[in-house]
């Protein structure tokens, strides 16, 4: 399997081949795509941005105020608000291609036959597209698995908080190695409802193994063993209806194998910090020191995830 080349990209380090291009790595980023992608979302002019302003009501109670007591007004009380925040993190990639590499597009290595062409038309465009997909993959991973860190100096990195860390601090169940069951799912739905989730646009994100387990759970529960057609086999659960909400089901390769994430995507958006005069995710040529073309891709991206009680997760599930 081809790997990465560090430093200058030369015609020897980056050989050209004929044939169709394939990558076994995940290139789909469902959460990012649903919430605006690398060209949508919100903008900020500060590396820290608000995700929610929270306030509470006192526990519901039956008042007990006599006529005599009502003649004197009670002590005033007021709701206190609290702001929650997240940060953008830097995404920076560089390509450095020698003029020789750029001019040797039709010099091919490996097996070649007459009339064959490389699978890509321009080394620079191929490398830039590769970097954009890499950034999208890193963003998807961070939005799900990111561990929050707020920089206190220029030598410390900002790291955006991901949804799993958010749910672990709010609504999450540790399965302790048990397999996924209908009861575990019902418990999560119930805990989310009790926590105050809005259930506006719910989506379940899960790994390949847990997707199969989810289908098995609901197929067994509903007796969905034999399809209507006698020429098609199999069951694929793509939507779940619960007592509290309807939910889409999405396989996501960036969710850990032992985890299920339920997110209200109505309250999720990528946040981009603008660089004045340049934009939010841009390429620019770096200082030239010789016969190469050196470019950087730069962006500052974070997750606006809303209040923690909007989402939920199950972790520590049995997984292969």
């Amino acid at each position: 399997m081809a790997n990465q080349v560090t430093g200058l990209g030369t015609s020897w380090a980056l050989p050209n081949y004929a044939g169709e291009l394939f990558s076994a790595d995940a290139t789909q980023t469902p959460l990012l795509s649903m919430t605006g992608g690398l060209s949508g979302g919100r903008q900020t002019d500060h590396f820290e941005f608000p995700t929610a302003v929270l306030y509470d009501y006192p526990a519901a109670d039956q008042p007990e105020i006599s006529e005599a007591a009502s003649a004197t007004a009670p002590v005033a009380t007021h709701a206190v608000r609290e702001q929650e925040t997240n940060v953008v993190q830097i995404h920076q990639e560089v390509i450095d291609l020698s003029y020789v590499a750029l001019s040797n597009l039709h010099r091919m290595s490996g097996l070649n036959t007459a009339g064959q062409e490389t699978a890509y038309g321009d080394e620079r465009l191929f490398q830039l597209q590769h970097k954009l997909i890499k950034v999208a993959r890193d963003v998807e991973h961070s939005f799900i698995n990111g561990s929050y860190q707020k920089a206190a100096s220029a030598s410390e990195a900002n790291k955006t908080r991901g949804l799993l860390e958010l749910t672990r601090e709010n609504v999450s169940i540790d399965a302790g190695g048990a397999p996924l069951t209908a009861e575990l799912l019902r418990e999560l739905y119930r805990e989310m409802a009790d926590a105050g989730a809005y259930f506006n646009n719910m989506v379940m994100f899960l790994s390949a193994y847990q997707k199969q387990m989810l289908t098995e759970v609901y197929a067994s529960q509903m007796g969905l063993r034999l399809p209507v057609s006698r020429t098609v086999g199999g069951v694929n659960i793509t939507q779940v209806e619960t007592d509290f909400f309807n939910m889409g089901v999405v396989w996501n390769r960036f969710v850990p194998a032992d985890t299920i994430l339920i997110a209200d995507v109505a309250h999720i958006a990528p946040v981009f910090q603008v660089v004045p005069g340049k934009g939010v995710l841009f390429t620019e040529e770096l200082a030239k020191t010789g016969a190469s073309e050196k470019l950087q891709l730069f962006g500052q991206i974070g997750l606006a995830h809303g209040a923690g009680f909007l989402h939920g997760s199950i972790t520590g599930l049995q997984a292969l």
Side-chain angles (χ1 to χ4, degrees):
M1 185 71 70
N3 211 324
Q4 303 293 310
V5 172
T6 301
L8 180 66
T10 67
S11 56
W12 304 100
L14 302 173
N16 298 320
Y17 296 100
E20 189 175 355
L21 288 170
F22 291 95
S23 174
D25 293 316
T27 57
Q28 294 88 7
T29 53
L31 176 61
L32 178 61
S33 298
M34 286 181 186
T35 56
L38 290 178
S39 59
R42 308 173 189 170
Q43 293 187 9
T44 180
D45 56 5
H46 192 292
F47 72 76
E48 187 175 18
F49 56 90
T51 58
V53 177
L54 303 180
Y55 63 95
D56 293 321
Y57 289 95
D61 197 7
Q62 182 177 12
E64 186 177 355
I65 305 170
S66 68
E67 179 182 356
S70 68
T72 303
V75 175
T77 60
H78 308 87
V80 176
R81 295 172 295 274
E82 179 181 356
Q83 185 185 62
E84 294 187 342
T85 64
N86 204 355
V87 295
V88 298
Q89 59 191 22
I90 293 174
H91 293 263
Q92 186 176 24
E93 302 292 336
V94 173
I95 63 172
D96 187 7
L97 300 171
S98 73
Y99 287 173
V100 175
L102 292 171
S103 59
N104 270 319
L105 177 63
H106 295 288
R107 181 183 184 277
M108 292 189 290
S109 302
L111 177 65
N112 298 290
T113 56
Q116 284 189 316
E117 297 286 341
T118 58
Y120 46 93
D122 186 310
E123 184 69 48
R124 178 179 177 274
L125 291 178
F126 170 78
Q127 296 295 341
L128 280 175
Q129 180 65 22
H130 184 272
K131 293 300 186 186
L132 280 169
I133 294 175
K134 179 185 183 301
V135 168
R137 283 164 44 87
D138 290 345
V139 169
E140 184 85 356
H141 173 82
S142 299
F143 282 7
I144 294 171
N145 302 290
S147 179
Y148 176 76
Q149 179 175 286
K150 180 180 174 181
S153 69
S155 61
E156 190 174 8
N158 282 311
K159 296 167 64 176
T160 202
R161 180 187 298 103
L163 287 167
L164 290 179
E165 182 174 87
L166 181 70
T167 58
R168 282 194 294 269
E169 297 169 354
N170 290 274
V171 184
S172 185
I173 296 171
D174 184 352
L180 182 66
T181 63
E183 179 50 42
L184 268 175
L185 290 166
R186 284 194 294 268
E187 182 181 351
L188 178 60
Y189 306 154
R190 186 169 60 249
E191 288 195 11
M192 293 176 68
D194 290 341
Y198 292 171
F199 300 133
N200 293 130
N201 187 5
M202 308 306 294
V203 178
M204 177 187 287
F205 299 95
L206 66 177
S207 66
Y209 180 77
Q210 301 305 335
K211 175 64 177 72
Q212 291 181 319
M213 290 297 294
L214 181 82
T215 294
E216 179 69 19
V217 165
Y218 282 110
S220 300
Q221 186 182 48
M222 303 303 294
L224 301 176
R225 288 301 181 185
L226 292 176
V228 175
S229 170
R230 291 298 179 263
T231 60
V232 178
V235 179
N236 177 22
I237 301 298
T238 59
Q239 185 171 334
V240 174
E241 183 171 353
T242 78
D243 293 295
F244 313 104
F245 56 91
N246 291 332
M247 172 175 59
V249 177
V250 176
W251 168 43
N252 189 316
R253 298 191 192 196
F254 296 91
V255 176
D258 66 347
T259 297
I260 284 179
L261 169 66
I262 298 180
D264 192 339
V265 298
H267 302 280
I268 297 173
V271 176
F272 301 87
Q273 187 171 4
V274 181
V275 176
K278 296 183 182 295
V280 295
L281 185 62
F282 58 89
T283 59
E284 64 178 358
E285 189 168 348
L286 297 177
K288 191 174 293 295
T289 58
S292 70
E293 188 172 297
K294 193 172 185 178
L295 303 172
Q296 77 168 344
L297 174 65
F298 185 88
Q300 299 169 94
I301 309 171
L303 175 65
H305 47 58
F309 62 78
L310 298 172
H311 320 289
S313 65
I314 303 175
T315 63
L317 289 163
Q318 181 188 85
L320 294 180

